[in-house]
Amino acid sequence: MVAAVANRSYLYSADGLPTEQSNPKPIRCVSEHNWSIPLAHKILVGRGTAVVPSMIWNPRIGIAGDYDAGAELLTDLLRVVGQGLPDGDFAECVARTTAHLDKQRAKYFLLETGEMISLGDEDPEEAVRGLVEYDIPAEVARAEAAIAGDDDAWLASVRTGWQDHFASFYSDWLYFSFPED
């Protein structure tokens, strides 16, 4: 069972995938978000998405995605979201986010959702499979449609709550950081 600790989702990057026996090295900290798995985290792992062993918890509840393809998709989405926002705070958020993504570049994004999925009653491994098979692909499809100009209603709702979707904590050190040996 996964124990709730701080109720965050965590996003990392690495050039390899975790295995049952070991974590890749080095693991770069990308972002953490309180009380949800934000749209940005889902979009970033939205290409080449796969369930992998967790780097933090015992169940197989990690999610991996292609770094470059996920970063490109998020960048395209941020561009169209920003076209409808006069808010200078959004532009600052985008600049911070993209600079940190450029700095932490690797082959894979690794999303740790254990604290968030432990809040529900569902089996953690089933919850992650649901994210990978349904929730993440659905969000990616909506983002692709919005980028193509085909989902203005969804894009408007994302603009309205952009802080919840994109204003995560991006840092070199997260609540769970991995020491470099």
Side-chain angles (χ1 to χ4, degrees):
M1 185 49 113
V2 176
V5 178
N7 300 318
R8 297 177 179 111
S9 63
Y10 303 95
L11 188 66
Y12 303 94
S13 65
D15 290 320
L17 294 174
T19 66
E20 299 294 337
Q21 294 76 32
S22 66
N23 289 335
K25 295 197 190 269
I27 299 168
R28 298 167 192 90
C29 295
V30 176
S31 172
E32 66 184 41
H33 193 90
N34 292 334
W35 294 107
S36 72
I37 303 167
L39 177 62
H41 286 185
K42 293 174 185 175
I43 295 297
L44 289 169
V45 297
R47 299 279 197 235
T49 311
V51 176
V52 297
S54 172
M55 298 181 300
I56 301 172
W57 296 283
N58 288 331
R60 189 174 174 85
I61 57 172
I63 301 173
D66 178 274
Y67 195 103
D68 288 336
E72 181 179 359
L73 181 59
L74 180 65
T75 301
D76 290 346
L77 180 59
L78 291 171
R79 179 183 42 77
V80 297
V81 169
Q83 290 171 353
L85 288 173
D87 187 358
D89 290 341
F90 180 75
E92 183 181 320
C93 175
V94 170
R96 262 191 335 268
T97 300
T98 55
H100 193 67
L101 291 176
D102 286 343
K103 179 181 163 198
Q104 301 300 74
R105 187 166 302 282
K107 187 171 180 179
Y108 301 101
F109 280 112
L110 301 168
L111 179 60
E112 292 286 350
T113 63
E115 291 179 9
M116 297 313 309
I117 61 173
S118 72
L119 296 174
D121 294 332
E122 191 175 6
D123 172 76
E125 291 185 14
E126 289 179 26
V128 167
R129 275 193 300 278
L131 282 168
V132 168
E133 293 174 10
Y134 305 107
D135 190 43
I136 292 171
E139 295 289 14
V140 166
R142 301 288 308 257
E144 290 171 336
I147 292 164
D150 295 334
D151 199 338
D152 292 337
W154 182 80
L155 188 56
S157 73
V158 170
R159 283 184 182 125
T160 300
W162 72 262
Q163 294 91 344
D164 294 332
H165 300 299
F166 306 115
S168 300
F169 177 71
Y170 287 85
S171 177
D172 293 344
W173 298 99
L174 304 178
Y175 184 84
F176 280 106
S177 293
F178 296 88
E180 294 181 28
D181 294 293

